[in-house]
Amino acid sequence: MFEDCFKVSLPVLMTAVVILSSLLYWQYWRWTHRRMLELAKLVPGPPALPIIGNALIFMTKPEEQLKKIAGILDMYGQYARVWLGPDLNIVVKNPTDVRLLLTSNKVNQKGPLYDFMKPFIGPGILTGGPSWRNHRKIANPSYSKKSVHHYTETFNREATELVKVLLGKDPGVTFDLYSDMVQCTTQCVCQTLMGLSKEDSQNVLLMDDVVQDTQRIYDMLFKKMTRWWLQIPFINWLSGNLHKEKQILRMLDTFTSDILQKRRRALKVEDLGEDVMGIVDRYILSGELTDQEIKWETFTLFTTSQEASAKIASGVLLFLAYLPEWQDKVYNEIVELLGAEDEPVTEKQVKELQHLDMVFKETLRYFSIAAMTQRTVEEEITINNGKITLPAGTSLVIPIHEIHRDPQYWDEPLKVKPERFLPQNIGHRDPNAFVPFSLGPMDCLGRVYATALIKIIVVVILRAVRVEARGSPHDLPLNVAISVKPAGGYLLTARPRRTTNGLHRSL
């Protein structure tokens, strides 16, 4: 009988021990984090459950995550507190405080969400960690204005190749521009930032697979970021995601190893000038990175350059297709300032195209490169005119997509209106409400490079092709994950322009 009682009571005893241990740990955690808890009370936010916090709110589809954040901000204002388990997240939408925080040396590390990227790109420029400053410093000259000046020949040549592809399309058939655009930006990035020759760039192992799978990689990462159960190793394995991750890692290693080998061989016979040296060469010659670190940074800078540039360039042309009056303004400005002939375009020339710049900026506003960014607060910092203090260890969330759509700063934010970037309109708006490339020491490294690349591609295309789209661009259904893009793709048609004598332009 005694043994039977013991058998019955053992599970109960074990359950009691687990519950008691959890409660003791919970109390211990609250005591050691009492400063954080006190300061968190001063920030409005939804009621949090013990241990799991507000995690249940975000148990939804990945594309619904930002809508949840938007709903919280609508309810609580420009500052909101969200607990994800024991992690305190403070969402800040006030533009003045956004600038203060992103430029502060107290908020100079990426947030925990970036840890999910580290298996693919390691600790470095994009994910943060102890090495990001030095890795960025080494790569920075390849993104400088001097280097970009040398890259424009490649930009023009590859854009001309893209025009040939577009002129081969049936004028009556709608297609997704992105698939053709990303091939163009990929070649541009390979022949400039990666330092590859034209021949080598066309023969990198598995490059087509990497380009095609990039969005799948982003989607997989975003799901893991936003579905907490996938962060449990056993469930991640059971779902099949672990197998997919290993396949992707093998593919990326083959891809980056081939680029590294090609550049090591080339450096034995090439004597490159400082202004035309690619980032891979800089990392090799610095002697400060291991091969694995070079491969991580190679994929980081490859994918953030070619993929983001392709999305933005496709977005610009999509909006010009939807807004024929703006397409005419941009085209006429190109003809007036640069001429209609197929002469190469320089970075200096595209800076003069004010109408193109307005469409470019409106595209960046509507399709944010990063829907949100996260930082870790390393030292206490006070915001909201002294009313809120962010404690050390807090995860700061900047909802860039929501800032770019805040009606307080943007008239009819769901509409596409390039005129909102006219000088007279910019003057009436908080300049910090537009942060497409982020701010501070961790801002977008490739902003000068991408701006020149995208604008040159658009100019070369518009000289030869007229783009058209059906319907309206206003309130487009969006796919919001790591970046923002139209849910249906960049769908348009392309028709050859005609010269004054009625003949099709030839290339």
Side-chain angles (χ1 to χ4, degrees):
M1 177 179 283
F2 176 78
E3 291 179 354
D4 291 340
C5 290
F6 182 76
K7 290 178 181 178
V8 171
S9 61
L10 184 59
V12 176
L13 179 62
M14 293 300 295
T15 302
V17 169
V18 170
I19 293 174
L20 180 61
S21 299
S22 299
L23 289 173
L24 288 173
Y25 177 77
W26 177 242
Q27 290 302 318
Y28 170 77
W29 185 90
R30 289 181 62 84
W31 172 254
T32 55
H33 291 78
R34 57 191 181 279
R35 173 66 174 171
M36 175 182 285
L37 292 168
E38 290 172 4
L39 294 175
K41 290 178 182 178
L42 303 178
V43 186
L49 296 173
I51 301 178
I52 65 172
N54 303 115
L56 293 178
I57 294 176
F58 297 95
M59 288 183 65
T60 184
K61 296 178 181 179
E63 58 268 24
E64 298 293 324
Q65 298 292 324
L66 275 181
K67 292 181 181 178
K68 295 291 185 180
I69 292 177
I72 290 171
L73 291 169
D74 287 342
M75 180 174 293
Y76 296 101
Q78 293 187 318
Y79 308 88
R81 176 200 71 237
V82 177
W83 286 97
L84 298 178
D87 296 328
L88 173 61
N89 289 260
I90 304 294
V91 186
V92 177
K93 196 171 76 165
N94 178 275
T96 301
D97 280 332
V98 166
R99 170 169 286 277
L100 169 68
L101 291 165
L102 292 181
T103 57
S104 170
N105 58 12
K106 298 179 180 180
V107 194
N108 260 348
Q109 284 296 336
K110 295 293 180 75
L113 286 179
Y114 290 86
D115 290 343
F116 297 106
M117 298 182 182
K118 288 182 179 178
F120 301 92
I121 58 177
I125 289 176
L126 184 59
T127 54
S131 61
W132 75 265
R133 287 182 184 275
N134 188 46
H135 290 191
R136 179 174 173 128
K137 181 179 178 181
I138 295 170
N140 193 57
S142 291
Y143 289 93
S144 68
K145 292 181 180 179
K146 284 185 177 180
S147 292
V148 170
H149 172 74
H150 290 284
Y151 298 157
T152 55
E153 180 181 350
T154 299
F155 296 167
N156 278 272
R157 181 177 64 249
E158 294 303 324
T160 300
E161 292 300 313
L162 175 57
V163 168
K164 292 178 181 178
V165 173
L166 298 182
L167 289 177
K169 303 282 187 182
D170 186 328
V173 174
T174 298
F175 63 97
D176 188 343
L177 176 62
Y178 177 79
S179 59
D180 296 312
M181 182 64 73
V182 75
Q183 296 299 323
C184 173
T185 58
T186 295
Q187 283 300 312
C188 289
V189 169
C190 282
Q191 296 172 49
T192 56
L193 298 178
M194 298 294 104
L196 297 170
S197 66
K198 173 76 171 180
E199 181 181 359
D200 280 348
S201 70
Q202 293 175 321
N203 294 283
V204 177
L205 292 177
L206 300 184
M207 186 166 74
D208 288 342
D209 294 331
V210 170
V211 172
Q212 291 173 11
D213 284 350
T214 295
Q215 191 57 53
R216 184 169 69 92
I217 296 171
Y218 286 175
D219 290 342
M220 185 179 67
L221 284 172
F222 191 70
K223 286 179 181 178
K224 196 168 184 179
M225 288 177 183
T226 54
R227 294 180 177 178
W228 61 266
W229 56 91
L230 292 177
Q231 298 166 25
I232 301 172
F234 176 72
I235 296 179
N236 192 47
W237 170 79
L238 197 63
S239 68
N241 279 354
L242 182 61
H243 177 67
K244 294 176 183 176
E245 289 173 13
K246 290 181 178 179
Q247 284 184 318
I248 290 170
L249 287 172
R250 288 193 293 269
M251 175 181 69
L252 296 183
D253 186 69
T254 299
F255 168 71
T256 53
S257 294
D258 192 43
I259 292 177
L260 181 56
Q261 290 173 11
K262 281 179 166 58
R263 291 316 303 158
R264 283 197 189 281
R265 288 196 299 266
L267 284 173
K268 293 178 180 179
V269 296
E270 292 180 0
D271 184 17
L272 297 175
E274 174 67 18
D275 294 339
V276 296
M277 189 179 296
I279 56 173
V280 182
D281 296 353
R282 294 184 191 279
Y283 284 140
I284 293 172
L285 296 174
S286 74
E288 297 183 36
L289 285 76
T290 65
D291 279 7
Q292 182 58 69
E293 288 176 319
I294 295 175
K295 288 190 287 185
W296 278 333
E297 297 295 18
T298 294
F299 179 64
T300 296
L301 298 176
F302 170 81
T303 190
T304 54
S305 298
Q306 51 86 232
E307 191 262 355
S309 296
K311 284 182 176 177
I312 300 166
S314 297
V316 170
L317 287 162
L318 179 66
F319 284 160
L320 290 174
Y322 274 123
L323 305 172
E325 70 281 8
W326 273 93
Q327 186 173 174
D328 289 341
K329 288 179 181 180
V330 174
Y331 176 72
N332 291 335
E333 188 177 51
I334 291 170
V335 173
E336 180 182 351
L337 297 179
L338 310 184
E341 299 305 316
D342 300 320
E343 295 296 326
V345 186
T346 67
E347 182 207 8
K348 184 178 179 180
Q349 286 176 317
V350 294
K351 286 182 178 178
E352 301 175 10
L353 302 173
Q354 298 304 311
H355 287 100
L356 174 57
D357 188 60
M358 285 186 275
V359 180
F360 173 69
K361 288 178 177 175
E362 178 66 348
T363 304
L364 291 173
R365 182 195 72 85
Y366 205 92
F367 299 130
S368 298
I369 303 168
M372 67 178 182
T373 188
Q374 189 189 55
R375 299 283 189 272
T376 295
V377 179
E378 297 179 282
E379 296 180 43
E380 285 191 4
I381 185 168
T382 300
I383 58 174
N384 194 18
N385 297 317
K387 298 175 184 176
I388 294 174
T389 297
L390 304 184
T394 301
S395 292
L396 166 69
V397 178
I398 306 296
I400 295 175
H401 179 65
E402 294 305 316
I403 294 173
H404 286 176
R405 289 174 165 244
D406 191 336
Q408 183 175 346
Y409 308 106
W410 305 97
D411 176 49
E412 298 182 299
L414 300 184
K415 289 188 175 182
V416 181
K417 299 170 65 175
E419 63 269 22
R420 66 174 87 247
F421 287 98
L422 285 165
Q424 59 267 34
N425 294 331
I426 293 175
H428 297 293
R429 184 172 58 244
D430 189 326
N432 301 312
F434 184 57
V435 285
F437 298 111
S438 191
L439 296 166
M442 302 188 87
D443 67 352
C444 177
L445 178 62
R447 60 193 180 280
V448 174
Y449 177 93
T451 300
L453 170 60
I454 292 161
K455 289 185 176 180
I456 287 174
I457 289 175
V458 171
V459 168
V460 173
I461 289 175
L462 288 185
R463 277 174 161 175
V465 176
R466 183 171 186 85
V467 289
E468 299 172 357
R470 296 178 181 177
S472 167
H474 307 311
D475 200 14
L476 278 174
L478 301 178
N479 181 325
V480 183
I482 291 177
S483 60
V484 180
K485 64 178 183 178
Y490 303 86
L491 303 178
L492 46 72
T493 60
R495 299 180 183 277
R497 290 188 183 274
R498 294 175 181 269
T499 58
T500 53
N501 63 5
L503 297 176
H504 288 301
R505 297 172 55 84
S506 61
L507 293 172

